[in-house]
Amino acid sequence: MRTSLALAVSAALVAGTALGLAPTAQAADTSIRFVDIAGDGGTVLKANVVTPAGGDSAARYPVIVLPTSWAVPQVEYLAQAQKLADSGYVVVSYNSRGFWQSGGEIETAGPKDIADASKVIDWALANTPADPDHVGMAGVSYGAGISLLAAASDPRIKAVAALSGWADLIESIYSGRTQHLQAAALLGGAGYLTGRPGPELKEILGDFLSSNLAKEEDMIAWGRKRSAATHLDRINANGAAIMLGNAWGDTIFPPNQYASFYEKLTGPKRLEFRPGDHATAEATGLLGLPNDTWTSAHRWFDHYLKGADNGIDREQPVQLKPRSDAGYEGYPDWKSVNANRRKFDLGGTQRIWANVDSGANGGVVMLSNLLDQFFQAPPVASVPLLPRAFAGVWQSERYDTPQRVRGTVEVHTTVSSTDESGTLVAYLYDVGPLGLGKLVSNAPYTFHDRTPGRPFGVDLELFSTAYDVPAGHRLALVVDTVDPLYIEHNPTGAQLTFSSPTADPSYVSVPLRAE
């Protein structure tokens, strides 16, 4: 079944690639080879190599290594590899171990995967006209995570473009101490369908999806080892130029963890956020079509691997494209994005029953934010009709001018529960005159080992975004206890109470673009 699926997916990707490359292929005669590369421990990695045409036999070219995305075959990057080779790069793309025809088992960016990346660089330097002083890595999703981790372990890597990836695996799929159910199930299912999960991954995935709290520390340690944020000191010491790109609505690797990681990098760096869901911002570029993300990645490599004076190092390093499909906005750093804030109060006391979906939810993984990207159609809810027995609702005043939300919305409140464990999900809506709310952002929060009936403070960061609230609209915070995106931990019949003590008022803090 895997072989048949590999042929089908490869054929589709190659067909799309051929369409995207047709004009380029007529203009240049780059060399494409399919090869086997010995990875760590001799494991065979299926790869393809694209080299520039017409070069002198003694010439050396900068080299870019591209590990494939999770569950995607090795033809994934052929369109971009062709474009890079046409502009003077050697490009080596390989199927990550454990997937498709590559050997070994899925290690989930473990030590063997990182060793594989160095082995591929070794092979490229020995078997292609690659320049050992100008080595780059790039990738989408899984390839992005491996590229960042490789930059921590291999000082030969001088530039990285990590697209729709993760820097902190725990903050990606276990943020707010809550399992991101649909994301984990999608990754796990795709891994079983297209690859060979190793015993460690099988155990971790089983414990994660079954909410085995006895193994929580082990799961977190496993994830930390596979997070570039854990190896930040080594990345900074090696000094690679790091470009990070992601989508506002990435339901697998939300943008917050990338922004936090970006702020701690000390070398050359760039951060780009655009509308979309996981890997959708890069998707058209994989078919050879014009694509902003890949254009930036090419410029990044041209400057830091070829020394081109293309101005990318003089631009504002944080580039944001709002979900309203307006033009790009530049900022000197992520802190500046969040600098201008406006609060609205979460006054009074509201009590809700758990275990019932109020109708407010974050949508469907990989689908809802794709619709928002192309049609500006995020998940919606009729805020006046949300059942108050199952949802807490607070609204701001009606705004006379547009409110340009930029960055990370913060929620502070006081909660008490009738049980020691529970889950809440907070949603921020843009509410129009008729009460229809469009989802701006959301995030889950889970607690354990709390004393029933005793209030405790909750500070929650919603997933970062860039959303324009029209004049005449208001913002609404909705909190309920069930969302199909997440695993919830509310015992049957539990109740949650939200209050705003005089000494510690509850509020929503909204970052706004300074006009």
Side-chain angles (χ1 to χ4, degrees):
M1 180 178 180
R2 184 179 294 117
T3 300
S4 299
L5 187 59
L7 292 173
V9 175
S10 296
L13 285 172
V14 168
T17 298
L19 290 172
L21 292 180
T24 306
Q26 295 173 5
D29 186 23
T30 52
S31 169
I32 302 176
R33 291 186 291 147
F34 289 85
V35 300
D36 290 349
I37 298 176
D40 184 57
T43 297
V44 174
L45 304 174
K46 296 294 183 177
N48 56 70
V49 184
V50 188
T51 53
D56 187 285
S57 60
R60 287 290 177 264
Y61 303 93
V63 58
I64 297 176
V65 173
L66 301 166
T68 54
S69 302
W70 185 273
V72 181
Q74 59 161 307
V75 296
E76 176 184 12
Y77 300 115
L78 274 181
Q80 288 303 318
Q82 177 79 69
K83 291 177 181 290
L84 287 164
D86 287 345
S87 61
Y89 292 91
V90 171
V91 185
V92 183
S93 174
Y94 69 95
N95 236 121
S96 305
R97 71 165 53 223
F99 286 105
W100 300 99
Q101 284 77 41
S102 282
E105 297 175 324
I106 301 173
E107 300 286 334
T108 321
K112 292 181 180 179
D113 288 305
I114 310 313
D116 283 345
S118 291
K119 290 289 187 181
V120 173
I121 294 173
D122 292 341
W123 185 92
L125 297 179
N127 295 277
T128 74
D131 185 342
D133 295 325
H134 298 88
V135 177
M137 285 195 70
V140 175
S141 185
Y142 194 44
I146 290 175
S147 295
L148 285 176
L149 288 161
S153 67
D154 195 327
R156 294 176 296 180
I157 299 170
K158 305 303 181 186
V160 170
L163 312 176
S164 288
W166 78 91
D168 190 325
L169 194 56
I170 301 302
E171 284 301 310
S172 294
I173 61 173
Y174 195 52
S175 69
R177 207 179 178 186
T178 308
Q179 298 102 315
H180 293 211
L181 173 61
Q182 290 186 16
L186 178 64
L187 292 173
Y192 274 95
L193 184 62
T194 63
R196 298 166 299 282
E200 188 177 26
L201 174 58
K202 291 179 181 178
E203 181 180 359
I204 288 292
L205 192 60
D207 290 337
F208 184 84
L209 293 175
S210 65
S211 303
N212 187 352
L213 285 176
K215 293 294 187 70
E216 184 181 34
E217 290 187 8
D218 293 340
M219 289 187 286
I220 290 175
W222 179 86
R224 293 285 182 236
K225 185 163 67 172
R226 289 161 169 79
S227 299
T230 303
H231 309 284
L232 180 69
D233 289 347
R234 291 195 331 223
I235 293 175
N236 285 334
N238 288 340
I242 306 291
M243 172 186 157
L244 305 171
N246 205 353
W248 293 118
D250 194 320
T251 44
I252 296 181
F253 304 129
N256 302 45
Q257 45 90 31
Y258 247 17
S260 176
F261 177 72
Y262 169 84
E263 285 290 85
K264 298 170 186 173
L265 291 169
T266 58
K269 58 184 180 178
R270 184 177 177 92
L271 178 67
E272 299 185 354
F273 286 146
R274 298 176 175 84
D277 206 315
H278 183 64
T280 63
E282 300 84 25
T284 55
L286 294 176
L287 298 178
L289 301 174
N291 180 275
D292 289 356
T293 306
W294 284 104
T295 296
S296 289
H298 286 230
R299 293 179 65 222
W300 191 252
F301 287 129
D302 285 348
H303 181 74
Y304 287 102
L305 295 183
K306 295 171 70 175
D309 185 13
N310 56 17
I312 197 167
D313 58 318
R314 297 188 294 275
E315 296 172 359
Q316 297 274 40
V318 175
Q319 293 287 321
L320 311 182
K321 187 174 185 181
R323 288 162 54 193
S324 58
D325 204 29
Y328 286 90
E329 302 169 358
Y331 298 83
D333 50 36
W334 182 249
K335 184 187 300 184
S336 300
V337 178
N338 290 275
N340 182 45
R341 289 187 167 272
R342 183 173 182 175
K343 292 182 179 180
F344 68 89
D345 294 333
L346 305 179
T349 297
Q350 298 195 33
R351 178 174 299 163
I352 63 175
W353 290 92
N355 307 117
V356 177
D357 190 340
S358 70
N361 68 70
V364 178
V365 67
M366 294 295 296
L367 176 61
S368 297
N369 292 312
L370 183 67
L371 294 174
D372 187 37
Q373 176 183 356
F374 289 105
F375 304 108
Q376 296 182 37
V380 298
S382 176
V383 174
L385 297 181
L386 290 173
R388 297 313 197 255
F390 309 117
V393 179
W394 299 263
Q395 297 192 72
S396 72
E397 76 276 16
R398 196 179 305 277
Y399 298 116
D400 295 330
T401 58
Q403 304 294 294
R404 306 191 189 283
V405 181
R406 299 291 186 272
T408 308
V409 174
E410 298 173 353
V411 176
H412 174 74
T413 189
T414 296
V415 179
S416 62
S417 173
T418 56
D419 203 277
E420 65 177 7
S421 295
T423 297
L424 59 93
V425 185
Y427 311 88
L428 188 70
Y429 283 101
D430 159 24
V431 183
L434 298 180
L436 184 66
K438 294 183 177 181
L439 187 65
V440 177
S441 187
N442 78 100
Y445 181 91
T446 293
F447 57 88
H448 297 289
D449 303 320
R450 292 290 181 175
T451 302
R454 178 178 295 177
F456 58 93
V458 170
D459 289 290
L460 177 61
E461 290 187 347
L462 306 191
F463 300 135
S464 303
T465 193
Y467 183 97
D468 294 337
V469 179
H473 288 212
R474 66 180 75 213
L475 288 169
L477 184 80
V478 176
V479 179
D480 72 2
T481 62
V482 176
D483 190 305
L485 286 172
Y486 313 112
I487 291 178
E488 53 99 1
H489 297 262
N490 297 294
T492 302
Q495 289 180 287
L496 300 182
T497 300
F498 300 89
S499 59
S500 182
T502 303
D504 185 21
S506 298
Y507 60 83
V508 176
S509 176
V510 182
L512 299 173
R513 179 185 173 188
E515 299 297 338

